[in-house]
CSV table of all heavy atoms in Angstrom, one decimal:
chain,number,residue,atom,x,y,z
A,1,PHE,N,-41.6,-5.7,71.7
A,1,PHE,CA,-41.0,-6.4,70.6
A,1,PHE,C,-41.3,-5.5,69.3
A,1,PHE,O,-42.5,-5.3,69.1
A,1,PHE,CB,-41.6,-7.8,70.4
A,1,PHE,CG,-41.2,-8.8,71.4
A,1,PHE,CD1,-40.7,-8.5,72.6
A,1,PHE,CD2,-41.4,-10.2,71.1
A,1,PHE,CE1,-40.3,-9.5,73.5
A,1,PHE,CE2,-41.0,-11.2,72.0
A,1,PHE,CZ,-40.5,-10.8,73.2
A,2,SER,N,-40.3,-5.1,68.6
A,2,SER,CA,-40.5,-4.4,67.4
A,2,SER,C,-40.1,-5.2,66.2
A,2,SER,O,-39.1,-6.0,66.3
A,2,SER,CB,-39.9,-3.0,67.4
A,2,SER,OG,-38.5,-3.1,67.7
A,3,PHE,N,-40.8,-5.0,65.1
A,3,PHE,CA,-40.6,-6.0,63.9
A,3,PHE,C,-40.1,-5.2,62.7
A,3,PHE,O,-40.5,-4.1,62.4
A,3,PHE,CB,-41.9,-6.7,63.6
A,3,PHE,CG,-42.5,-7.4,64.8
A,3,PHE,CD1,-43.9,-7.1,65.1
A,3,PHE,CD2,-41.8,-8.2,65.6
A,3,PHE,CE1,-44.4,-7.8,66.2
A,3,PHE,CE2,-42.4,-8.8,66.7
A,3,PHE,CZ,-43.7,-8.6,67.0
A,4,TYR,N,-39.2,-5.9,62.0
A,4,TYR,CA,-38.5,-5.2,60.8
A,4,TYR,C,-38.5,-6.2,59.7
A,4,TYR,O,-37.8,-7.2,59.7
A,4,TYR,CB,-37.1,-4.8,61.2
A,4,TYR,CG,-37.0,-4.0,62.5
A,4,TYR,CD1,-37.1,-4.6,63.7
A,4,TYR,CD2,-36.9,-2.6,62.4
A,4,TYR,CE1,-37.0,-3.8,64.9
A,4,TYR,CE2,-36.9,-1.8,63.5
A,4,TYR,CZ,-36.9,-2.5,64.8
A,4,TYR,OH,-36.9,-1.7,65.9
A,5,ASP,N,-39.4,-5.9,58.7
A,5,ASP,CA,-39.4,-6.7,57.4
A,5,ASP,C,-39.7,-8.1,57.6
A,5,ASP,O,-39.2,-9.0,56.9
A,5,ASP,CB,-38.1,-6.5,56.7
A,5,ASP,CG,-37.8,-5.0,56.4
A,5,ASP,OD1,-38.7,-4.3,56.1
A,5,ASP,OD2,-36.6,-4.6,56.5
A,6,LEU,N,-40.6,-8.5,58.6
A,6,LEU,CA,-40.9,-9.9,58.8
A,6,LEU,C,-41.8,-10.4,57.7
A,6,LEU,O,-42.8,-9.8,57.3
A,6,LEU,CB,-41.6,-10.1,60.2
A,6,LEU,CG,-40.9,-9.7,61.5
A,6,LEU,CD1,-41.7,-10.2,62.7
A,6,LEU,CD2,-39.5,-10.3,61.5
A,7,PRO,N,-41.5,-11.6,57.2
A,7,PRO,CA,-42.4,-12.3,56.3
A,7,PRO,C,-43.7,-12.5,57.0
A,7,PRO,O,-43.8,-12.6,58.2
A,7,PRO,CB,-41.7,-13.6,56.0
A,7,PRO,CG,-40.3,-13.3,56.2
A,7,PRO,CD,-40.2,-12.4,57.4
A,8,GLU,N,-44.8,-12.6,56.3
A,8,GLU,CA,-46.2,-12.6,56.8
A,8,GLU,C,-46.3,-13.8,57.8
A,8,GLU,O,-46.9,-13.6,58.9
A,8,GLU,CB,-47.2,-12.8,55.7
A,8,GLU,CG,-48.6,-12.8,56.2
A,8,GLU,CD,-49.6,-12.9,55.1
A,8,GLU,OE1,-49.2,-12.8,53.9
A,8,GLU,OE2,-50.8,-13.1,55.4
A,9,GLU,N,-45.8,-14.9,57.5
A,9,GLU,CA,-46.0,-16.1,58.4
A,9,GLU,C,-45.2,-15.9,59.7
A,9,GLU,O,-45.7,-16.3,60.8
A,9,GLU,CB,-45.4,-17.4,57.7
A,9,GLU,CG,-45.7,-18.7,58.4
A,9,GLU,CD,-47.2,-18.9,58.7
A,9,GLU,OE1,-48.1,-18.4,57.9
A,9,GLU,OE2,-47.5,-19.6,59.7
A,10,ILE,N,-44.0,-15.3,59.7
A,10,ILE,CA,-43.3,-15.1,60.9
A,10,ILE,C,-43.9,-14.0,61.7
A,10,ILE,O,-44.0,-14.1,63.0
A,10,ILE,CB,-41.8,-14.7,60.6
A,10,ILE,CG1,-41.0,-15.9,59.9
A,10,ILE,CG2,-41.1,-14.3,61.9
A,10,ILE,CD1,-39.6,-15.5,59.6
A,11,HIS,N,-44.4,-13.0,61.1
A,11,HIS,CA,-45.2,-11.9,61.8
A,11,HIS,C,-46.4,-12.5,62.4
A,11,HIS,O,-46.7,-12.1,63.6
A,11,HIS,CB,-45.5,-10.8,60.8
A,11,HIS,CG,-45.8,-9.5,61.4
A,11,HIS,ND1,-45.7,-8.3,60.8
A,11,HIS,CD2,-46.1,-9.2,62.7
A,11,HIS,CE1,-45.9,-7.3,61.6
A,11,HIS,NE2,-46.2,-7.8,62.7
A,12,LYS,N,-47.1,-13.4,61.8
A,12,LYS,CA,-48.3,-14.0,62.4
A,12,LYS,C,-47.9,-14.8,63.6
A,12,LYS,O,-48.6,-14.7,64.7
A,12,LYS,CB,-48.9,-15.0,61.3
A,12,LYS,CG,-50.1,-15.7,61.9
A,12,LYS,CD,-50.7,-16.6,60.8
A,12,LYS,CE,-51.8,-17.5,61.3
A,12,LYS,NZ,-52.3,-18.4,60.3
A,13,LYS,N,-46.8,-15.6,63.6
A,13,LYS,CA,-46.4,-16.3,64.8
A,13,LYS,C,-45.9,-15.4,65.9
A,13,LYS,O,-46.2,-15.7,67.1
A,13,LYS,CB,-45.3,-17.3,64.4
A,13,LYS,CG,-45.8,-18.4,63.4
A,13,LYS,CD,-44.7,-19.4,63.0
A,13,LYS,CE,-45.2,-20.4,62.0
A,13,LYS,NZ,-46.2,-21.3,62.5
A,14,ALA,N,-45.3,-14.3,65.6
A,14,ALA,CA,-44.9,-13.4,66.6
A,14,ALA,C,-46.1,-12.8,67.3
A,14,ALA,O,-46.1,-12.7,68.5
A,14,ALA,CB,-44.1,-12.2,66.0
A,15,ASN,N,-47.2,-12.5,66.5
A,15,ASN,CA,-48.4,-11.9,67.1
A,15,ASN,C,-49.1,-13.0,68.0
A,15,ASN,O,-49.7,-12.6,69.1
A,15,ASN,CB,-49.3,-11.5,66.0
A,15,ASN,CG,-48.9,-10.1,65.5
A,15,ASN,OD1,-48.3,-9.3,66.1
A,15,ASN,ND2,-49.2,-9.9,64.2
A,16,GLN,N,-49.0,-14.2,67.6
A,16,GLN,CA,-49.6,-15.3,68.4
A,16,GLN,C,-48.9,-15.4,69.8
A,16,GLN,O,-49.5,-15.5,70.8
A,16,GLN,CB,-49.5,-16.6,67.7
A,16,GLN,CG,-50.4,-16.7,66.5
A,16,GLN,CD,-50.1,-18.0,65.7
A,16,GLN,OE1,-49.1,-18.6,65.8
A,16,GLN,NE2,-51.0,-18.3,64.7
A,17,THR,N,-47.6,-15.2,69.8
A,17,THR,CA,-46.8,-15.2,71.0
A,17,THR,C,-47.2,-14.0,71.9
A,17,THR,O,-47.4,-14.1,73.1
A,17,THR,CB,-45.3,-15.2,70.7
A,17,THR,OG1,-44.9,-16.4,70.2
A,17,THR,CG2,-44.5,-15.0,72.0
A,18,LEU,N,-47.3,-12.8,71.3
A,18,LEU,CA,-47.7,-11.6,72.0
A,18,LEU,C,-49.0,-11.7,72.7
A,18,LEU,O,-49.2,-11.2,73.8
A,18,LEU,CB,-47.6,-10.4,71.1
A,18,LEU,CG,-46.2,-9.9,70.6
A,18,LEU,CD1,-46.4,-8.6,69.9
A,18,LEU,CD2,-45.2,-9.8,71.7
A,19,GLN,N,-49.9,-12.4,72.0
A,19,GLN,CA,-51.3,-12.6,72.6
A,19,GLN,C,-51.2,-13.4,73.9
A,19,GLN,O,-52.1,-13.3,74.7
A,19,GLN,CB,-52.2,-13.2,71.6
A,19,GLN,CG,-52.6,-12.3,70.4
A,19,GLN,CD,-53.3,-13.1,69.3
A,19,GLN,OE1,-53.7,-14.2,69.5
A,19,GLN,NE2,-53.4,-12.3,68.2
A,20,LYS,N,-50.2,-14.2,74.1
A,20,LYS,CA,-50.1,-15.0,75.3
A,20,LYS,C,-49.5,-14.3,76.5
A,20,LYS,O,-49.6,-14.7,77.6
A,20,LYS,CB,-49.2,-16.3,75.0
A,20,LYS,CG,-49.8,-17.3,74.2
A,20,LYS,CD,-48.9,-18.5,74.0
A,20,LYS,CE,-48.5,-19.2,75.4
A,20,LYS,NZ,-47.6,-20.4,75.2
A,21,PHE,N,-48.8,-13.1,76.2
A,21,PHE,CA,-48.1,-12.5,77.3
A,21,PHE,C,-48.6,-11.0,77.4
A,21,PHE,O,-48.3,-10.2,76.6
A,21,PHE,CB,-46.6,-12.5,77.0
A,21,PHE,CG,-46.0,-13.9,77.0
A,21,PHE,CD1,-46.1,-14.7,75.9
A,21,PHE,CD2,-45.4,-14.4,78.2
A,21,PHE,CE1,-45.5,-16.0,75.9
A,21,PHE,CE2,-44.9,-15.7,78.2
A,21,PHE,CZ,-44.9,-16.5,77.1
A,22,ASP,N,-49.4,-10.8,78.4
A,22,ASP,CA,-50.0,-9.4,78.5
A,22,ASP,C,-49.1,-8.3,79.0
A,22,ASP,O,-49.5,-7.2,79.0
A,22,ASP,CB,-51.2,-9.5,79.4
A,22,ASP,CG,-50.9,-9.9,80.8
A,22,ASP,OD1,-49.7,-10.1,81.2
A,22,ASP,OD2,-51.9,-10.0,81.7
A,23,LYS,N,-47.8,-8.7,79.4
A,23,LYS,CA,-46.9,-7.6,79.7
A,23,LYS,C,-45.9,-7.3,78.6
A,23,LYS,O,-44.9,-6.6,78.8
A,23,LYS,CB,-46.1,-8.1,81.0
A,23,LYS,CG,-46.9,-8.3,82.2
A,23,LYS,CD,-47.6,-7.0,82.7
A,23,LYS,CE,-48.4,-7.3,84.0
A,23,LYS,NZ,-49.1,-6.0,84.4
A,24,ILE,N,-46.2,-7.9,77.4
A,24,ILE,CA,-45.3,-7.6,76.2
A,24,ILE,C,-46.2,-7.1,75.1
A,24,ILE,O,-47.3,-7.6,74.9
A,24,ILE,CB,-44.6,-8.9,75.8
A,24,ILE,CG1,-43.8,-9.5,76.9
A,24,ILE,CG2,-43.7,-8.6,74.6
A,24,ILE,CD1,-43.2,-10.8,76.6
A,25,LYS,N,-45.8,-6.0,74.5
A,25,LYS,CA,-46.5,-5.4,73.4
A,25,LYS,C,-45.7,-5.2,72.2
A,25,LYS,O,-44.4,-5.3,72.2
A,25,LYS,CB,-47.2,-4.1,73.8
A,25,LYS,CG,-46.2,-3.0,74.0
A,25,LYS,CD,-46.9,-1.7,74.3
A,25,LYS,CE,-45.9,-0.5,74.3
A,25,LYS,NZ,-46.6,0.8,74.5
A,26,GLU,N,-46.3,-4.9,71.0
A,26,GLU,CA,-45.5,-4.5,69.9
A,26,GLU,C,-45.0,-3.1,70.1
A,26,GLU,O,-45.9,-2.2,70.4
A,26,GLU,CB,-46.3,-4.6,68.6
A,26,GLU,CG,-45.5,-4.2,67.3
A,26,GLU,CD,-46.2,-4.5,66.0
A,26,GLU,OE1,-47.2,-5.2,66.0
A,26,GLU,OE2,-45.6,-4.0,65.0
A,27,GLY,N,-43.8,-2.9,69.9
A,27,GLY,CA,-43.2,-1.6,70.2
A,27,GLY,C,-42.8,-0.7,69.0
A,27,GLY,O,-42.9,-1.2,67.8
A,28,VAL,N,-42.5,0.5,69.2
A,28,VAL,CA,-42.0,1.3,68.1
A,28,VAL,C,-40.7,0.9,67.5
A,28,VAL,O,-39.9,0.3,68.2
A,28,VAL,CB,-41.9,2.8,68.6
A,28,VAL,CG1,-43.3,3.3,69.0
A,28,VAL,CG2,-40.9,2.9,69.7
A,29,LYS,N,-40.5,1.2,66.3
A,29,LYS,CA,-39.2,0.8,65.6
A,29,LYS,C,-38.1,1.7,66.1
A,29,LYS,O,-38.3,3.0,66.3
A,29,LYS,CB,-39.3,0.9,64.1
A,29,LYS,CG,-40.2,-0.2,63.5
A,29,LYS,CD,-40.2,-0.1,62.0
A,29,LYS,CE,-40.7,-1.4,61.3
A,29,LYS,NZ,-42.1,-1.6,61.7
A,30,TRP,N,-36.9,1.2,66.3
A,30,TRP,CA,-35.7,2.0,66.7
A,30,TRP,C,-34.6,1.2,66.1
A,30,TRP,O,-34.6,0.0,65.8
A,30,TRP,CB,-35.6,2.1,68.2
A,30,TRP,CG,-35.5,0.8,69.0
A,30,TRP,CD1,-36.5,-0.1,69.2
A,30,TRP,CD2,-34.3,0.2,69.5
A,30,TRP,NE1,-36.1,-1.2,69.9
A,30,TRP,CE2,-34.7,-1.1,70.1
A,30,TRP,CE3,-33.0,0.6,69.6
A,30,TRP,CZ2,-33.8,-1.9,70.7
A,30,TRP,CZ3,-32.1,-0.3,70.2
A,30,TRP,CH2,-32.5,-1.5,70.7
A,31,TYR,N,-33.5,1.9,65.9
A,31,TYR,CA,-32.4,1.4,65.0
A,31,TYR,C,-31.0,1.4,65.7
A,31,TYR,O,-30.0,1.1,65.1
A,31,TYR,CB,-32.3,2.1,63.7
A,31,TYR,CG,-33.6,1.8,62.9
A,31,TYR,CD1,-34.7,2.7,63.0
A,31,TYR,CD2,-33.7,0.7,62.1
A,31,TYR,CE1,-35.9,2.4,62.2
A,31,TYR,CE2,-34.8,0.5,61.3
A,31,TYR,CZ,-35.9,1.3,61.4
A,31,TYR,OH,-37.0,1.0,60.7
A,32,GLN,N,-31.0,2.0,67.0
A,32,GLN,CA,-29.7,2.1,67.6
A,32,GLN,C,-29.3,0.8,68.4
A,32,GLN,O,-29.0,0.8,69.6
A,32,GLN,CB,-29.7,3.3,68.6
A,32,GLN,CG,-30.0,4.6,68.0
A,32,GLN,CD,-31.4,5.0,68.0
A,32,GLN,OE1,-32.3,4.2,67.7
A,32,GLN,NE2,-31.7,6.3,68.3
A,33,GLY,N,-29.2,-0.3,67.6
A,33,GLY,CA,-28.8,-1.6,68.2
A,33,GLY,C,-28.3,-2.5,67.1
A,33,GLY,O,-28.3,-2.2,66.0
A,34,ASP,N,-27.9,-3.7,67.6
A,34,ASP,CA,-27.2,-4.6,66.7
A,34,ASP,C,-28.2,-5.3,65.7
A,34,ASP,O,-27.7,-5.8,64.7
A,34,ASP,CB,-26.6,-5.8,67.5
A,34,ASP,CG,-25.3,-5.3,68.2
A,34,ASP,OD1,-24.6,-4.4,67.7
A,34,ASP,OD2,-24.9,-5.8,69.3
A,35,HIS,N,-29.5,-5.2,65.9
A,35,HIS,CA,-30.4,-5.7,64.9
A,35,HIS,C,-30.2,-4.9,63.5
A,35,HIS,O,-30.5,-5.4,62.5
A,35,HIS,CB,-31.9,-5.6,65.3
A,35,HIS,CG,-32.3,-4.2,65.9
A,35,HIS,ND1,-31.8,-3.8,67.1
A,35,HIS,CD2,-33.1,-3.3,65.4
A,35,HIS,CE1,-32.4,-2.6,67.3
A,35,HIS,NE2,-33.1,-2.3,66.3
A,36,SER,N,-29.7,-3.7,63.6
A,36,SER,CA,-29.5,-2.9,62.4
A,36,SER,C,-28.5,-3.5,61.5
A,36,SER,O,-28.6,-3.4,60.2
A,36,SER,CB,-29.1,-1.4,62.7
A,36,SER,OG,-30.2,-0.7,63.3
A,37,ILE,N,-27.5,-4.2,62.0
A,37,ILE,CA,-26.6,-5.0,61.2
A,37,ILE,C,-27.3,-5.9,60.3
A,37,ILE,O,-27.0,-6.1,59.1
A,37,ILE,CB,-25.6,-5.7,62.1
A,37,ILE,CG1,-24.8,-4.7,62.9
A,37,ILE,CG2,-24.7,-6.6,61.3
A,37,ILE,CD1,-23.9,-5.4,64.0
């Protein structure tokens, strides 16, 4: 999961989710996808 300009509270909740799932990590940023829109 990579994060782009997340407000602090949303980023905090995302990290809480990642802590529950050991096969998911914070990833590098990339822009060749629809999130860029």
